[in-house]
Amino acid sequence: MNSQVSPLPPRCSQPQPQQPQPQQPQPQQPQPQQPQPQRNKQQVAQQFSRAAHSYDQAATIQQQAIEQLIQRMPNQLGGHWLDIGCGTGAAFDPLLKRGVEHLSGVDLAEGMLQFINLQQASHWHRQPITTVLADADELPFNNNSCDGIFSSLMLQWSEHPQRTLSEWQRVVKPGGLIAIATLLPGTHQQMRDAWQQIDQRPHVNRFTPRQQLLTVCQQLQLDIVSEQQQCLTEHYPSLTDLLRGLKAIGATNVNTGRKSGLGGRAALQQLNQMYPRTQTGQLPLSYQVYWLLLRKPALAF
Ligand SMILES: C[S@@+](CC[C@H](N)C(=O)[O-])C[C@H]1O[C@@H](n2cnc3c(N)ncnc32)[C@H](O)[C@@H]1O
């Protein structure tokens, strides 16, 4: 296993009804970019670096997202693949099992890559894996240089999915696959609704709508091989456990306008009162997971 530092700056348990079959979105004029609050990438990297050691134990939904994404991919992959936002490398084994010959695990969080290199080195010893510290928006790879891209639960951290996907489209070879799991609006809705009854600040990250992602794919001339959305819900015995679970996977709010911390004991007591419970007194937390398989069209001769 090798590591590289880029020269660039630096679980609704009820399945949702199936989305209609893959469809090409209707042509649309590019929308003028809405002014977006800035997400601080350094802060994102720091919070994931801090979570590296606790991530795997808490990442149940994340593990399901990877498994379902792998199931949607062809059985035989081969060639050089990037796992972008690879985290602790949870997708490395299944990708290697599918025949990936060289895997580059790319992540912005140095702590995640250190975890892979130090903790997991013996597990992946002699495997064709390279870890690369880089930003998904500025990949240190040549145009048309990799056979495929895999990315599970990273794209929702991108403030400009168009820029991110255009970078992925640049590095993948014609005919190559881009396999994505991401989160859609509705994710953490219980938390959003509960906070809205307390104050108007953004306590939950924003998520790009499905149609906006499909429009970007169309603008980038990426073919949609398949898409599916499912709501996955995990349940916690208490608010403290829920907040600990989020912290353990590095999923804290990075929107501008957020309060630092959660707003103190009084706000947490209010949140506890407002947060919905199941009949058995559990606190549900939902994820709208979206699996999207794209192909860069092969060159026409
Ligand atoms: C929710 S974790 C997912 C990790 C892994 N793919 C999994 O499913 O277990 C998101 C990962 O994306 C990384 N990430 C976030 N923004 C990134 C960016 N702009 N470039 C590269 N990695 C990024 C984070 O550091 C984190 O490791």
Side-chain angles (χ1 to χ4, degrees), residues 47 51 54 58 188 190-192 194-195 198 203-204 234-253 261-273 275 277 283-285 287:
Q47 72 192 35
S54 51
H188 293 181
Q190 298 89 346
M191 179 74 90
R192 187 186 299 277
W195 272 119
I198 301 167
H203 290 275
V204 174
E234 50 191 19
H235 294 89
Y236 291 90
S238 70
L239 183 65
T240 311
D241 287 304
L242 187 153
L243 296 174
R244 264 198 210 122
L246 286 179
K247 195 170 172 200
I249 55 163
T252 32
N253 175 20
L262 288 161
R265 184 188 286 258
L268 282 184
Q269 277 172 352
Q270 276 181 293
L271 182 64
N272 200 23
Q273 277 168 8
Y275 205 97
R277 304 288 199 280
L283 285 76
L285 186 66
Y287 292 76

Side-chain angles (χ1 to χ4, degrees), residues 88 94 134 144 176 183:
T88 57
N144 307 318
L183 300 175

Side-chain angles (χ1 to χ4, degrees), residues 108-127:
L108 192 63
E110 201 168 3
M112 286 290 192
L113 301 184
Q114 278 168 356
F115 179 82
I116 293 175
N117 289 315
L118 296 173
Q119 308 289 320
Q120 310 282 22
S122 54
H123 178 66
W124 285 311
H125 184 54
R126 291 174 196 256
Q127 294 287 354

Side-chain angles (χ1 to χ4, degrees), residues 41 44-49 55-56 59 61-63 65-66 83-91 106-110 112-113 132-139 150-159 164 168 181 183 249-251:
K41 283 189 185 177
V44 172
Q46 276 170 3
Q47 72 192 35
F48 277 109
S49 283
Y55 185 88
D56 285 340
I61 298 267
Q62 290 69 12
Q63 193 55 41
I66 289 179
D83 177 357
I84 301 184
C86 64
T88 57
V106 179
D107 207 287
L108 192 63
E110 201 168 3
M112 286 290 192
L113 301 184
V132 182
L133 181 64
D135 183 350
D137 294 347
E138 295 177 90
L139 295 170
F150 178 96
S151 182
S152 191
L153 300 192
M154 182 262 126
L155 189 60
Q156 75 280 358
W157 288 102
S158 166
E159 202 167 17
T164 309
W168 299 3
L183 300 175
I249 55 163

